[in-house]
Coordinates of all heavy atoms in Angstrom, one line a residue:
M1 N 0.7 -1.1 0.0 CA -0.1 0.0 0.0 C 0.9 1.2 0.0 O 1.9 1.3 0.6 CB -0.9 0.0 1.3 CG -1.9 1.1 1.2 SD -3.0 1.2 2.6 CE -3.0 -0.4 3.3
K2 N 0.4 2.3 -0.7 CA 1.2 3.4 -0.8 C 1.5 4.1 0.7 O 0.7 3.9 1.5 CB 0.5 4.5 -1.6 CG 0.5 4.2 -3.0 CD -0.3 5.2 -3.9 CE -0.5 4.9 -5.3 NZ -1.1 5.8 -6.0
D3 N 2.6 4.9 0.7 CA 2.8 5.6 1.9 C 2.0 6.8 2.0 O 2.2 7.7 1.4 CB 4.2 5.9 2.0 CG 4.7 6.6 3.3 OD1 3.9 7.0 4.0 OD2 6.0 6.7 3.5
Q4 N 0.8 6.6 2.8 CA -0.2 7.7 2.8 C 0.4 8.9 3.4 O 0.1 10.0 3.1 CB -1.4 7.3 3.5 CG -2.0 6.0 2.8 CD -3.2 5.4 3.6 OE1 -3.8 6.0 4.5 NE2 -3.4 4.1 3.4
L5 N 1.2 8.8 4.5 CA 1.8 10.0 5.1 C 2.7 10.8 4.1 O 2.6 12.0 4.1 CB 2.5 9.6 6.4 CG 3.1 10.7 7.2 CD1 2.0 11.7 7.6 CD2 3.9 10.2 8.4
R6 N 3.4 10.0 3.4 CA 4.3 10.7 2.4 C 3.5 11.4 1.3 O 3.7 12.5 0.8 CB 5.3 9.6 1.7 CG 6.2 10.3 0.7 CD 7.0 9.3 -0.2 NE 6.2 8.3 -0.8 CZ 5.5 8.6 -2.0 NH1 5.5 9.8 -2.5 NH2 4.8 7.6 -2.6
L7 N 2.4 10.8 0.8 CA 1.6 11.4 -0.2 C 1.0 12.7 0.4 O 1.0 13.7 -0.4 CB 0.4 10.4 -0.6 CG 0.8 9.3 -1.4 CD1 -0.3 8.3 -1.6 CD2 1.4 9.6 -2.8
L8 N 0.6 12.6 1.6 CA -0.1 13.9 2.3 C 1.0 15.0 2.4 O 0.7 16.1 2.0 CB -0.7 13.6 3.6 CG -1.4 14.7 4.2 CD1 -2.4 15.3 3.4 CD2 -2.0 14.3 5.6
R9 N 2.1 14.6 2.8 CA 3.3 15.6 2.9 C 3.6 16.2 1.6 O 3.8 17.4 1.4 CB 4.5 14.9 3.5 CG 4.5 14.7 5.0 CD 5.9 14.3 5.5 NE 5.8 14.0 7.0 CZ 6.1 12.9 7.5 NH1 6.7 11.9 6.7 NH2 6.0 12.6 8.7
D10 N 3.7 15.3 0.6 CA 3.9 15.8 -0.8 C 2.9 16.8 -1.2 O 3.3 17.9 -1.8 CB 3.9 14.7 -1.8 CG 5.2 13.8 -1.6 OD1 6.1 14.2 -0.9 OD2 5.3 12.8 -2.3
C11 N 1.7 16.6 -0.9 CA 0.6 17.5 -1.2 C 0.8 18.8 -0.5 O 0.7 19.9 -0.9 CB -0.7 16.9 -0.9 SG -1.3 15.7 -2.1
I12 N 1.1 18.7 0.8 CA 1.2 19.9 1.7 C 2.4 20.7 1.2 O 2.4 21.9 1.0 CB 1.4 19.6 3.2 CG1 0.0 19.0 3.7 CG2 1.9 20.7 3.9 CD1 0.1 18.3 5.0
N13 N 3.5 20.0 1.0 CA 4.8 20.8 0.6 C 4.7 21.3 -0.9 O 5.2 22.3 -1.2 CB 6.0 19.9 0.7 CG 6.3 19.5 2.0 OD1 6.0 20.2 2.9 ND2 6.9 18.3 2.2
G14 N 3.8 20.7 -1.7 CA 3.6 21.1 -3.1 C 2.4 22.0 -3.3 O 2.1 22.4 -4.4
D15 N 1.7 22.4 -2.2 CA 0.6 23.2 -2.2 C -0.5 22.6 -3.0 O -1.1 23.3 -3.9 CB 0.9 24.6 -2.6 CG -0.2 25.7 -2.2 OD1 -0.9 25.4 -1.3 OD2 -0.4 26.7 -2.8
I16 N -0.6 21.3 -3.0 CA -1.6 20.6 -3.8 C -2.8 20.1 -3.0 O -2.7 19.7 -1.8 CB -1.0 19.2 -4.4 CG1 0.3 19.6 -5.2 CG2 -1.9 18.4 -5.1 CD1 1.2 18.4 -5.6
P17 N -4.1 20.5 -3.4 CA -5.2 20.2 -2.5 C -5.2 18.7 -2.2 O -5.0 17.8 -3.1 CB -6.4 20.5 -3.4 CG -5.9 21.6 -4.3 CD -4.4 21.2 -4.7
A18 N -5.7 18.4 -1.1 CA -5.7 16.9 -0.6 C -7.0 16.7 0.2 O -7.5 17.7 0.8 CB -4.6 16.5 0.3
V19 N -7.5 15.5 0.2 CA -8.7 15.1 1.0 C -8.3 14.0 1.9 O -7.6 13.1 1.4 CB -9.9 14.7 0.1 CG1 -11.1 14.2 0.9 CG2 -10.3 15.8 -0.9
V20 N -8.6 14.1 3.2 CA -8.3 13.1 4.1 C -9.6 12.6 4.7 O -10.5 13.3 5.1 CB -7.4 13.7 5.2 CG1 -7.2 12.5 6.3 CG2 -6.1 14.2 4.7
F21 N -9.7 11.2 4.6 CA -10.9 10.5 5.3 C -10.2 9.7 6.3 O -9.4 8.9 6.3 CB -11.5 9.5 4.3 CG -12.2 10.2 3.2 CD1 -11.7 10.3 2.0 CD2 -13.5 10.8 3.4 CE1 -12.3 10.9 0.9 CE2 -14.1 11.5 2.4 CZ -13.5 11.5 1.2
Q22 N -10.8 9.9 7.6 CA -10.3 9.2 8.7 C -10.8 7.8 8.9 O -12.0 7.6 8.4 CB -10.6 10.0 10.1 CG -9.7 11.2 10.3 CD -10.1 12.0 11.4 OE1 -10.3 13.2 11.4 NE2 -10.0 11.3 12.6
G23 N -10.2 6.9 9.4 CA -10.8 5.5 9.5 C -11.9 5.4 10.4 O -12.6 4.5 10.4
D24 N -12.1 6.4 11.3 CA -13.3 6.4 12.2 C -14.5 7.1 11.5 O -15.6 7.1 12.1 CB -12.9 6.9 13.5 CG -12.4 8.5 13.6 OD1 -12.4 9.1 12.4 OD2 -12.4 9.0 14.6
D25 N -14.3 7.6 10.3 CA -15.5 8.1 9.7 C -16.5 7.0 9.1 O -16.0 6.2 8.4 CB -14.9 9.0 8.5 CG -16.0 9.6 7.7 OD1 -17.2 9.2 7.6 OD2 -15.7 10.7 7.0
R26 N -17.7 7.1 9.6 CA -18.6 5.9 9.3 C -18.7 5.8 7.7 O -19.1 4.7 7.3 CB -19.9 6.2 10.0 CG -20.9 5.1 9.7 CD -22.1 5.1 10.5 NE -22.6 6.5 10.9 CZ -23.9 6.7 11.1 NH1 -24.9 5.8 11.1 NH2 -24.3 7.9 11.6
C27 N -18.7 6.9 7.1 CA -18.9 6.9 5.6 C -17.7 6.5 4.8 O -17.8 6.3 3.5 CB -19.5 8.3 5.1 SG -20.9 8.7 6.0
A28 N -16.6 6.5 5.4 CA -15.3 6.3 4.6 C -15.3 5.0 3.7 O -14.9 5.1 2.6 CB -14.1 6.2 5.5
P29 N -15.8 3.9 4.3 CA -15.7 2.7 3.4 C -16.6 2.8 2.1 O -16.1 2.4 1.0 CB -16.2 1.5 4.2 CG -15.9 2.0 5.6 CD -16.1 3.4 5.7
E30 N -17.8 3.4 2.3 CA -18.6 3.6 1.1 C -18.1 4.6 0.2 O -18.2 4.4 -1.1 CB -20.0 4.1 1.7 CG -21.0 4.2 0.7 CD -22.5 4.5 1.1 OE1 -22.6 4.7 2.3 OE2 -23.3 4.6 0.4
I31 N -17.4 5.6 0.6 CA -16.8 6.6 -0.1 C -15.7 6.0 -1.0 O -15.5 6.2 -2.2 CB -16.3 7.9 0.6 CG1 -17.6 8.6 1.2 CG2 -15.4 8.7 -0.1 CD1 -17.2 9.6 2.3
L32 N -14.8 5.3 -0.2 CA -13.7 4.6 -0.9 C -14.1 3.7 -2.0 O -13.4 3.5 -3.0 CB -12.8 3.9 0.1 CG -12.2 5.0 1.0 CD1 -11.5 4.2 2.3 CD2 -11.1 5.9 0.5
E33 N -15.1 2.8 -1.8 CA -15.8 1.9 -2.7 C -16.2 2.5 -3.9 O -15.9 2.2 -5.0 CB -16.8 1.0 -2.0 CG -16.4 0.1 -1.0 CD -15.8 -1.2 -1.6 OE1 -15.6 -1.4 -2.8 OE2 -15.5 -2.1 -0.7
A34 N -16.9 3.7 -3.7 CA -17.3 4.6 -4.9 C -16.2 5.0 -5.6 O -16.2 5.0 -6.9 CB -18.4 5.6 -4.4
A35 N -15.2 5.6 -5.0 CA -14.0 6.0 -5.6 C -13.3 5.0 -6.5 O -12.8 5.1 -7.6 CB -13.1 6.7 -4.7
K36 N -13.2 3.8 -5.9 CA -12.6 2.6 -6.6 C -13.4 2.4 -8.0 O -12.6 2.2 -9.0 CB -12.7 1.4 -5.8 CG -12.0 0.2 -6.5 CD -12.0 -1.0 -5.6 CE -11.5 -2.2 -6.3 NZ -11.8 -3.5 -5.5
E37 N -14.6 2.4 -7.9 CA -15.5 2.1 -9.2 C -15.2 3.4 -10.1 O -15.2 3.1 -11.3 CB -16.9 2.0 -8.9 CG -17.2 0.7 -8.1 CD -16.5 -0.5 -8.8 OE1 -16.7 -0.6 -10.0 OE2 -15.9 -1.3 -8.1
I38 N -15.1 4.5 -9.7 CA -14.7 5.7 -10.6 C -13.4 5.5 -11.1 O -13.2 5.7 -12.4 CB -14.9 7.1 -9.8 CG1 -16.4 7.3 -9.5 CG2 -14.4 8.2 -10.6 CD1 -16.6 8.3 -8.3
Y39 N -12.4 5.1 -10.4 CA -11.1 4.8 -10.9 C -11.0 3.8 -12.0 O -10.4 3.9 -12.9 CB -10.2 4.5 -9.7 CG -9.8 5.7 -8.8 CD1 -9.7 5.6 -7.5 CD2 -9.3 6.9 -9.4 CE1 -9.4 6.7 -6.6 CE2 -9.0 7.9 -8.6 CZ -9.0 7.8 -7.3 OH -8.6 8.9 -6.5
R40 N -11.8 2.7 -11.6 CA -11.9 1.6 -12.6 C -12.5 2.0 -14.0 O -11.9 1.8 -15.0 CB -12.8 0.5 -12.0 CG -12.8 -0.8 -12.9 CD -13.8 -1.8 -12.5 NE -13.7 -2.1 -11.0 CZ -12.8 -2.9 -10.4 NH1 -11.9 -3.5 -11.1 NH2 -12.9 -3.0 -9.2
K41 N -13.6 2.8 -13.8 CA -14.3 3.3 -15.0 C -13.3 4.2 -15.8 O -13.5 4.1 -17.1 CB -15.6 4.0 -14.6 CG -16.3 4.6 -15.7 CD -17.6 5.4 -15.2 CE -17.1 6.7 -14.6 NZ -18.3 7.6 -14.2
N42 N -12.5 4.9 -15.2 CA -11.6 5.8 -15.8 C -10.3 5.3 -16.3 O -9.4 6.0 -16.9 CB -11.5 7.0 -15.0 CG -12.6 8.1 -15.1 OD1 -12.8 8.7 -16.1 ND2 -13.6 7.9 -14.1
G43 N -10.2 3.9 -16.2 CA -9.0 3.2 -16.7 C -7.7 3.1 -15.7 O -6.7 2.8 -16.3
C44 N -7.9 3.2 -14.4 CA -6.8 3.0 -13.6 C -6.3 1.6 -13.7 O -7.0 0.7 -14.0 CB -7.0 3.4 -12.1 SG -7.1 5.1 -11.9
S45 N -5.0 1.4 -13.4 CA -4.5 0.1 -13.6 C -4.9 -0.8 -12.5 O -5.3 -0.4 -11.4 CB -2.9 0.2 -13.5 OG -2.4 0.5 -12.2
E46 N -4.8 -2.1 -12.8 CA -5.2 -3.2 -11.8 C -4.3 -3.1 -10.6 O -4.8 -3.3 -9.5 CB -5.1 -4.6 -12.5 CG -6.3 -4.9 -13.4 CD -7.6 -4.7 -12.7 OE1 -7.9 -5.4 -11.8 OE2 -8.5 -4.1 -13.4
E47 N -3.0 -2.7 -10.8 CA -2.2 -2.5 -9.6 C -2.7 -1.4 -8.7 O -2.7 -1.5 -7.5 CB -0.8 -2.3 -10.1 CG -0.1 -3.4 -10.8 CD -0.5 -3.5 -12.2 OE1 -1.2 -2.5 -12.8 OE2 -0.2 -4.6 -12.9
F48 N -3.2 -0.4 -9.3 CA -3.7 0.8 -8.5 C -4.9 0.4 -7.8 O -5.1 0.5 -6.6 CB -4.0 2.0 -9.4 CG -4.6 3.1 -8.7 CD1 -3.8 4.1 -8.1 CD2 -5.9 3.3 -8.5 CE1 -4.4 5.2 -7.2 CE2 -6.5 4.3 -7.8 CZ -5.7 5.3 -7.2
L49 N -5.7 -0.5 -8.4 CA -7.0 -0.8 -7.9 C -6.8 -1.8 -6.8 O -7.5 -1.8 -5.7 CB -7.9 -1.4 -8.9 CG -8.4 -0.4 -10.1 CD1 -9.1 -1.1 -11.1 CD2 -9.2 0.7 -9.5
Y50 N -5.8 -2.7 -6.9 CA -5.4 -3.5 -5.9 C -4.9 -2.8 -4.7 O -5.4 -3.2 -3.5 CB -4.3 -4.5 -6.4 CG -3.8 -5.4 -5.4 CD1 -4.3 -6.5 -4.9 CD2 -2.5 -5.0 -4.6 CE1 -3.9 -7.4 -3.9 CE2 -2.0 -5.8 -3.6 CZ -2.6 -7.0 -3.3 OH -2.2 -7.8 -2.3
D51 N -4.1 -1.8 -4.8 CA -3.7 -1.1 -3.7 C -4.7 -0.3 -3.0 O -4.8 -0.2 -1.8 CB -2.5 0.0 -4.3 CG -1.7 0.6 -3.2 OD1 -1.1 -0.1 -2.4 OD2 -1.8 1.8 -3.1
W52 N -5.7 0.2 -3.8 CA -6.8 0.9 -3.3 C -7.7 0.1 -2.4 O -8.1 0.5 -1.5 CB -7.7 1.5 -4.4 CG -8.6 2.6 -4.0 CD1 -9.9 2.3 -3.8 CD2 -8.4 3.9 -3.6 NE1 -10.5 3.5 -3.3 CE2 -9.7 4.5 -3.3 CE3 -7.2 4.8 -3.6 CZ2 -9.7 5.8 -2.9 CZ3 -7.3 6.1 -3.3 CH2 -8.6 6.6 -2.8
Q53 N -7.8 -1.2 -3.0 CA -8.6 -2.2 -2.2 C -8.0 -2.5 -0.8 O -8.6 -2.7 0.1 CB -8.9 -3.5 -3.1 CG -9.8 -4.5 -2.4 CD -11.2 -4.0 -2.2 OE1 -11.8 -3.5 -3.1 NE2 -11.6 -4.1 -1.0
L54 N -6.6 -2.6 -0.8 CA -5.9 -2.8 0.5 C -6.3 -1.7 1.4 O -6.5 -1.9 2.6 CB -4.5 -2.8 0.2 CG -3.8 -4.0 -0.5 CD1 -2.3 -3.8 -0.7 CD2 -4.2 -5.3 0.1
L55 N -6.3 -0.4 0.9 CA -6.8 0.7 1.8 C -8.2 0.4 2.3 O -8.5 0.7 3.5 CB -6.7 1.9 1.0 CG -7.2 3.2 1.8 CD1 -6.4 3.6 3.0 CD2 -7.1 4.5 0.8
I56 N -9.1 0.1 1.4 CA -10.6 -0.1 1.7 C -10.6 -1.2 2.9 O -11.2 -1.1 3.9 CB -11.3 -0.5 0.5 CG1 -11.5 0.6 -0.4 CG2 -12.8 -1.0 0.9 CD1 -12.1 0.3 -1.7
D57 N -9.8 -2.3 2.6 CA -9.9 -3.6 3.7 C -9.3 -3.0 4.9 O -9.8 -3.4 6.0 CB -9.1 -4.6 3.0 CG -9.7 -5.3 1.8 OD1 -10.8 -5.0 1.5 OD2 -9.0 -6.0 1.1
E58 N -8.2 -2.1 5.0 CA -7.6 -1.6 6.2 C -8.7 -0.8 6.9 O -8.8 -1.0 8.2 CB -6.5 -0.8 5.9 CG -5.7 -0.3 7.1 CD -4.4 0.4 6.8 OE1 -3.7 -0.1 5.8 OE2 -4.2 1.4 7.4
V59 N -9.5 0.0 6.2 CA -10.5 0.9 6.9 C -11.6 0.0 7.5 O -12.0 0.2 8.6 CB -10.9 2.0 5.9 CG1 -12.1 2.6 6.5 CG2 -9.8 3.0 5.6
K60 N -12.0 -0.9 6.8 CA -13.1 -1.8 7.3 C -12.6 -2.6 8.4 O -13.5 -2.8 9.3 CB -13.5 -2.7 6.1 CG -14.3 -2.1 5.1 CD -14.8 -3.0 3.9 CE -15.6 -2.4 2.9 NZ -16.1 -3.3 1.9
A61 N -11.4 -3.1 8.4 CA -10.9 -3.9 9.6 C -10.7 -3.0 10.7 O -11.2 -3.4 11.8 CB -9.4 -4.4 9.1
Y62 N -10.3 -1.8 10.7 CA -10.2 -0.8 11.7 C -11.6 -0.6 12.3 O -11.8 -0.6 13.6 CB -9.7 0.5 11.2 CG -9.7 1.5 12.3 CD1 -8.8 1.5 13.4 CD2 -10.7 2.6 12.3 CE1 -8.8 2.5 14.3 CE2 -10.8 3.5 13.3 CZ -9.9 3.4 14.4 OH -10.0 4.3 15.4
Q63 N -12.5 -0.4 11.5 CA -13.9 -0.1 11.9 C -14.5 -1.3 12.6 O -15.2 -1.2 13.6 CB -14.9 0.5 10.8 CG -14.5 1.8 10.3 CD -15.5 2.5 9.4 OE1 -16.4 1.8 9.0 NE2 -15.2 3.7 9.1
S64 N -14.2 -2.5 12.1 CA -14.8 -3.7 12.8 C -14.1 -4.0 14.2 O -14.8 -4.6 15.0 CB -14.9 -4.9 11.8 OG -13.5 -5.3 11.6
E65 N -12.8 -3.6 14.2 CA -12.2 -3.9 15.4 C -12.3 -2.8 16.5 O -12.2 -3.0 17.7 CB -10.7 -4.0 15.2 CG -10.2 -5.2 14.3 CD -8.8 -5.0 13.8 OE1 -8.2 -4.1 14.1 OE2 -8.5 -6.0 13.0
S66 N -12.8 -1.5 16.1 CA -13.0 -0.4 17.0 C -14.4 0.2 16.8 O -14.4 1.4 16.5 CB -11.9 0.5 16.8 OG -10.6 0.0 16.7
P67 N -15.4 -0.7 16.8 CA -16.7 0.1 16.5 C -17.2 1.2 17.3 O -17.9 2.1 16.9 CB -17.6 -1.1 16.7 CG -16.9 -2.1 17.6 CD -15.6 -1.9 17.4
D68 N -16.6 1.4 18.6 CA -16.9 2.5 19.4 C -16.5 3.8 18.9 O -16.8 4.9 19.3 CB -16.5 2.2 20.9 CG -17.3 1.0 21.4 OD1 -18.3 0.6 21.1 OD2 -16.7 0.6 22.5
T69 N -15.4 3.7 18.1 CA -14.7 5.0 17.6 C -15.5 5.5 16.3 O -15.1 6.6 15.8 CB -13.3 4.7 17.3 OG1 -13.1 3.9 16.1 CG2 -12.5 4.2 18.5
V70 N -16.2 4.7 15.7 CA -16.8 5.0 14.3 C -18.0 5.9 14.5 O -18.9 5.8 15.2 CB -17.3 3.8 13.6 CG1 -17.8 4.0 12.2 CG2 -16.2 2.7 13.6
K71 N -17.9 7.0 13.7 CA -18.9 8.1 13.9 C -19.0 8.9 12.6 O -18.2 8.8 11.7 CB -18.5 9.1 15.0 CG -17.2 9.7 14.9 CD -16.7 10.5 16.0 CE -15.3 11.2 15.9 NZ -14.3 10.5 15.4
L72 N -20.1 9.7 12.4 CA -20.2 10.7 11.5 C -19.3 11.8 11.8 O -19.3 12.3 12.8 CB -21.6 11.2 11.2 CG -22.6 10.2 10.6 CD1 -24.0 10.8 10.7 CD2 -22.2 9.9 9.1
P73 N -18.5 12.4 10.8 CA -17.6 13.5 11.0 C -18.6 14.8 11.2 O -19.7 14.9 10.7 CB -16.9 13.7 9.7 CG -17.6 13.0 8.6 CD -18.5 11.9 9.4
K74 N -18.0 15.6 12.0 CA -18.7 17.1 12.2 C -17.7 18.1 12.4 O -16.6 17.8 12.6 CB -19.6 16.9 13.4 CG -18.9 16.6 14.7 CD -20.0 16.5 15.8 CE -19.2 16.1 17.1 NZ -20.1 16.1 18.2
L75 N -18.2 19.3 12.2 CA -17.3 20.4 12.3 C -17.4 20.9 13.8 O -18.4 20.8 14.5 CB -17.9 21.6 11.4 CG -17.9 21.4 10.0 CD1 -18.5 22.5 9.3 CD2 -16.5 21.1 9.4
S76 N -16.4 21.7 14.2 CA -16.3 22.3 15.5 C -17.2 23.5 15.4 O -17.6 23.9 14.4 CB -14.9 22.8 15.9 OG -14.5 23.8 15.0
Q77 N -17.6 24.0 16.6 CA -18.5 25.1 16.6 C -18.0 26.4 15.9 O -18.6 27.0 15.1 CB -18.8 25.6 18.1 CG -20.0 26.6 18.2 CD -21.3 26.1 17.5 OE1 -21.6 24.9 17.8 NE2 -21.9 26.9 16.8
T78 N -16.7 26.6 16.0 CA -16.0 27.6 15.3 C -16.1 27.4 13.8 O -16.3 28.3 13.0 CB -14.5 27.7 15.7 OG1 -14.4 28.0 17.1 CG2 -13.8 28.8 15.0
E79 N -15.8 26.2 13.3 CA -15.9 25.8 12.0 C -17.3 26.0 11.4 O -17.4 26.5 10.3 CB -15.4 24.4 11.7 CG -13.9 24.2 11.9 CD -13.5 22.6 12.0 OE1 -14.2 21.9 12.6 OE2 -12.4 22.4 11.6
I80 N -18.3 25.7 12.1 CA -19.6 25.8 11.8 C -20.0 27.4 11.4 O -20.5 27.7 10.5 CB -20.7 25.3 12.9 CG1 -20.6 23.7 12.8 CG2 -22.1 25.8 12.6 CD1 -21.4 23.1 14.0
E81 N -19.5 28.2 12.5 CA -19.7 29.6 12.4 C -19.0 30.2 11.2 O -19.6 30.9 10.4 CB -19.3 30.3 13.7 CG -20.2 30.0 14.9 CD -19.5 30.5 16.1 OE1 -18.7 31.2 16.1 OE2 -20.2 29.9 17.1
L82 N -17.8 29.8 11.0 CA -17.0 30.3 9.8 C -17.7 29.8 8.4 O -17.8 30.6 7.4 CB -15.6 29.8 9.8 CG -14.8 30.3 10.8 CD1 -13.4 29.6 10.9 CD2 -14.5 31.9 10.6
A83 N -18.2 28.6 8.4 CA -18.9 28.1 7.2 C -20.2 28.8 7.0 O -20.5 29.1 5.8 CB -19.2 26.5 7.3
R84 N -20.9 29.1 8.1 CA -22.2 30.0 7.9 C -22.0 31.4 7.4 O -22.6 31.9 6.5 CB -22.9 29.9 9.3 CG -23.7 28.7 9.6 CD -24.5 28.8 10.9 NE -25.0 27.6 11.2 CZ -25.3 27.2 12.3 NH1 -25.2 28.0 13.4 NH2 -25.9 26.0 12.7
E85 N -20.8 32.0 8.0 CA -20.6 33.3 7.5 C -20.1 33.2 5.8 O -20.6 34.1 5.2 CB -19.3 33.9 8.2 CG -19.7 34.2 9.6 CD -18.4 34.6 10.4 OE1 -17.4 34.8 9.9 OE2 -18.5 34.7 11.6
D86 N -19.4 32.2 5.6 CA -19.0 32.1 4.1 C -20.2 31.8 3.3 O -20.3 32.3 2.2 CB -18.0 30.9 4.0 CG -17.4 30.9 2.6 OD1 -16.8 32.1 2.1 OD2 -17.2 29.8 2.0
M87 N -21.2 31.1 3.6 CA -22.4 30.7 3.0 C -23.2 32.0 2.8 O -23.7 32.2 1.8 CB -23.1 29.6 3.8 CG -22.5 28.2 3.8 SD -23.3 27.1 5.0 CE -24.9 27.0 4.3
Q88 N -23.3 32.8 3.9 CA -24.1 34.0 3.7 C -23.4 34.9 2.8 O -24.1 35.6 2.0 CB -24.2 34.7 5.1 CG -25.1 33.9 6.0 CD -25.3 34.6 7.4 OE1 -24.4 35.3 7.8 NE2 -26.3 34.1 8.2
R89 N -22.1 35.1 2.9 CA -21.4 36.0 1.9 C -21.5 35.5 0.4 O -21.6 36.4 -0.3 CB -19.8 35.9 2.4 CG -19.1 37.1 2.0 CD -17.6 37.2 2.6 NE -16.9 35.9 2.8 CZ -16.9 35.4 4.1 NH1 -17.3 36.0 5.1 NH2 -16.1 34.2 4.2
K90 N -21.6 34.2 0.2 CA -21.7 33.8 -1.1 C -23.2 33.6 -1.6 O -23.4 33.1 -2.7 CB -21.0 32.4 -1.3 CG -19.4 32.6 -1.2 CD -18.6 31.3 -1.2 CE -17.2 31.6 -1.1 NZ -16.4 30.4 -1.2
G91 N -24.2 33.9 -0.6 CA -25.5 33.9 -1.0 C -26.0 32.4 -1.2 O -27.1 32.2 -1.8
F92 N -25.5 31.4 -0.4 CA -25.8 30.0 -0.5 C -27.1 29.8 0.3 O -27.3 30.4 1.4 CB -24.7 29.2 0.1 CG -25.0 27.7 0.2 CD1 -24.8 27.1 -1.1 CD2 -25.5 27.2 1.2 CE1 -25.0 25.7 -1.1 CE2 -25.8 25.8 1.2 CZ -25.6 25.1 0.0
K93 N -28.1 29.2 -0.3 CA -29.3 28.8 0.3 C -29.4 27.3 0.4 O -29.5 26.8 -0.7 CB -30.4 29.5 -0.5 CG -30.5 31.1 -0.4 CD -31.7 31.6 -1.1 CE -31.9 33.0 -1.2 NZ -31.0 33.9 -0.7
A94 N -29.7 26.8 1.5 CA -29.8 25.4 1.7 C -31.2 24.9 1.4 O -32.1 25.6 1.4 CB -29.4 24.9 3.1

């Protein structure tokens, strides 16, 4: 499996946007499975898909071994307030 920490550092050092899903995110396995199908549809190699499946398996194993830690992600109160301000500034209506 790819060195995930190295990949994240490369993104941070290269100012490349990155998305991080924590293993305790209840939605992570479903999101990762959907991403795998998108990668497959777009022609990623079997080796990449194999490596991606290892990641999915690792997240699923973590969640089954630590069910008390699995939860839906949420924002802190400060993050909620900042998001609401940004939404208002941009005229976003839910």
Side-chain angles (χ1 to χ4, degrees):
M1 186 179 341
K2 290 182 182 178
D3 181 348
Q4 296 168 24
L5 184 56
R6 182 188 56 79
L7 290 171
L8 183 57
R9 280 191 188 126
D10 289 348
C11 287
I12 291 169
N13 292 333
D15 201 26
I16 300 167
V19 177
V20 175
F21 295 102
Q22 291 181 228
D24 61 357
D25 181 335
R26 182 172 28 155
C27 299
E30 187 176 359
I31 292 166
L32 295 171
E33 291 279 1
K36 182 180 172 190
E37 291 311 309
I38 293 167
Y39 286 133
R40 181 186 319 279
K41 180 180 75 174
N42 283 281
C44 281
S45 71
E46 286 302 312
E47 295 80 8
F48 177 89
L49 296 172
Y50 172 80
D51 191 59
W52 193 261
Q53 185 62 52
L54 292 177
L55 175 62
I56 294 169
D57 294 344
E58 185 177 316
V59 170
K60 287 180 177 180
Y62 172 81
Q63 289 192 357
S64 69
E65 293 168 6
S66 307
D68 295 340
T69 66
V70 179
K71 62 190 180 307
L72 284 174
K74 61 182 177 179
L75 299 176
S76 69
Q77 190 57 43
T78 302
E79 291 168 325
I80 290 170
E81 291 169 12
L82 290 171
R84 284 185 184 152
E85 289 173 11
D86 193 46
M87 290 165 64
Q88 288 176 348
R89 204 172 28 259
K90 294 179 178 176
F92 180 83
K93 296 187 184 349

